[in-house]
């Protein structure tokens, strides 16, 4: 799975490309760990337009990222969620916890 | 009812095989001409079931996972995913949302996802002997879409 992290002027954009399962989640969490030491912009956008598949591993990845951004005083928006991923996230009630656009 | 076709795969419980398993099941289910949503549901349940075997069944050794898929004349896809691992002592507990023995990196939502994406879903487990999950997914006939 490809993880792209872009620093824009006043926001951080993270894009995931490929299939997110337990195998891929390890690498994604490692990349997110790199964000720990850096100052995070107040707005963080997770773009899932190129996410080909996710299972419940994606739920843990989103919850972990949301917590990290919130702890840094920011807000996470999840954008361009494909229908398969949306069904998985809805089954876990994630839209009640974080912002889906 | 006798299946029209069936296949069985056995592979080592390595995480790299999560993708292999769901793609194999999807390729087999394609014979029923499913919609993208139906195929997505099958891949999701397979991925959860196989991940459970890989993460939980064999804490001390590299065991194997068996996946059997069948299709039936009435348009049903059925799969079972089995391991010969440690088993689940309390299945009711394991099925509770947010319950996980896998640590902070696991959501504990695997069983919840499987239950909501499959048409029928059962878990059988014996501690020390292994676990089998079985599910069915009905593929809608093309004429009715």
């Amino acid at each position: 799975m490809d993880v792209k992290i872009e620093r824009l002027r006043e926001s951080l954009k993270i894009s995931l490309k490929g299939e997110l399962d337990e195998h891929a989640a390890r690498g994604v969490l490692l990349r997110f760990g790199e964000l720990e030491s850096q100052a995070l912009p107040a707005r963080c956008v997770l773009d899932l337009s190129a996410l080909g598949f996710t299972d419940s591993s994606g739920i843990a990845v989103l919850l972990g990222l949301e917590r990290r951004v919130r702890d840094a005083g920011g807000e996470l928006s999840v954008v361009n969620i494909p229908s398969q991923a949306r069904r998985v996230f809805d089954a876990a009630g994630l839209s009640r916890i974080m912002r889906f656009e | 009812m006798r299946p029209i076709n069936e296949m069985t795969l056995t592979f080592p419980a390595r995480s790299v095989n999560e993708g292999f398993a769901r793609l194999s099941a999807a390729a087999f289910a394609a014979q029923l001409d499913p919609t993208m949503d139906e195929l997505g549901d099958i891949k999701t349940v397979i991925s959860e079931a196989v991940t459970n075997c890989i993460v939980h069944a064999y804490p001390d050794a590299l065991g194997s996972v068996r996946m059997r898929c069948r299709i039936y004349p009435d348009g049903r896809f059925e799969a079972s995913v089995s391991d010969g691992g440690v088993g689940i002592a309390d299945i009711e507990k394991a099925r509770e949302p947010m319950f996980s023995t896998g640590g902070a990196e696991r959501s504990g939502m695997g069983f919840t996802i499987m239950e909501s994406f499959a048409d029928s879903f059962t878990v059988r487990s014996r501690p020390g002997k292994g676990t089998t999950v079985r599910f069915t997914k009905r593929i809608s006939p093309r004429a009715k879409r």
Side-chain angles (χ1 to χ4, degrees):
Chain A
M1 152 147 275
D2 286 343
V3 182
K4 194 159 91 180
I5 301 177
E6 296 167 276
R7 276 180 182 277
L8 307 175
R9 200 171 303 160
E10 286 177 357
S11 66
L12 187 78
K13 185 183 175 194
I14 301 174
S15 312
L16 299 183
K17 183 179 176 187
E19 305 212 333
L20 179 53
D21 57 13
E22 185 264 335
H23 181 71
R26 299 179 201 185
V28 175
L29 292 169
L30 223 61
R31 286 298 307 279
F32 287 177
E34 295 169 15
L35 296 171
E36 192 113 291
S37 53
Q38 306 169 20
L40 289 177
R43 189 167 147 72
C44 184
V45 178
L46 179 67
D47 184 354
L48 299 182
S49 55
L51 180 67
F53 172 84
T54 189
D55 60 17
S56 67
S57 308
I59 297 170
V61 165
L62 259 65
L63 286 172
L65 181 64
E66 197 275 336
R67 191 174 308 119
R68 200 177 289 259
V69 172
R70 184 158 37 85
D71 285 352
E75 192 185 9
L76 175 73
S77 303
V78 187
V79 303
N80 302 322
I81 308 172
S83 77
Q84 186 270 336
R86 182 71 203 222
R87 288 158 70 84
V88 171
F89 299 154
D90 282 350
L94 280 195
S95 62
R96 294 197 299 268
I97 303 168
M98 61 188 81
R99 185 196 291 247
F100 284 179
E101 287 171 9
Chain B
M1 193 182 290
R2 290 166 63 118
I4 308 169
N5 202 355
E6 65 176 84
M7 69 111 165
T8 306
L9 282 178
T10 306
F11 49 88
R14 291 185 196 280
S15 66
V16 70
N17 286 327
E18 292 157 11
F20 167 71
R22 62 177 179 267
L23 288 178
S24 303
F28 182 79
Q31 296 171 83
L32 290 174
D33 198 12
T35 63
M36 287 301 286
D37 278 351
E38 288 164 344
L39 212 49
D41 288 356
I42 289 171
K43 286 168 74 174
T44 309
V45 181
I46 292 284
S47 198
E48 299 294 351
V50 169
T51 299
N52 276 347
C53 303
I54 290 168
V55 173
H56 300 292
Y58 304 107
D60 305 316
L62 178 63
S64 65
V65 180
R66 192 189 74 136
M67 177 175 82
R68 191 189 68 190
C69 300
R70 289 175 165 171
I71 52 174
Y72 291 91
D74 61 358
R76 253 180 317 132
F77 170 88
E78 178 193 84
S80 64
V81 175
S82 312
D83 64 65
V86 296
I88 304 169
D90 187 343
I91 293 177
E92 288 312 309
K93 188 84 188 161
R95 289 175 80 147
E96 283 175 13
M98 315 298 278
F99 176 81
S100 178
T101 56
E105 293 178 1
R106 309 295 314 151
S107 67
M109 293 302 286
F111 276 117
T112 305
I113 299 287
M114 288 192 273
E115 284 165 10
S116 57
F117 280 49
D119 292 329
S120 70
F121 174 76
T122 58
V123 191
R124 288 215 172 90
S125 190
R126 283 174 66 196
K129 297 284 182 194
T131 302
T132 296
V133 307
R134 184 188 305 271
F135 75 94
T136 61
K137 183 77 194 171
R138 192 171 291 280
I139 306 302
S140 57
R142 186 159 271 272
K144 287 189 184 166
R145 285 178 203 160

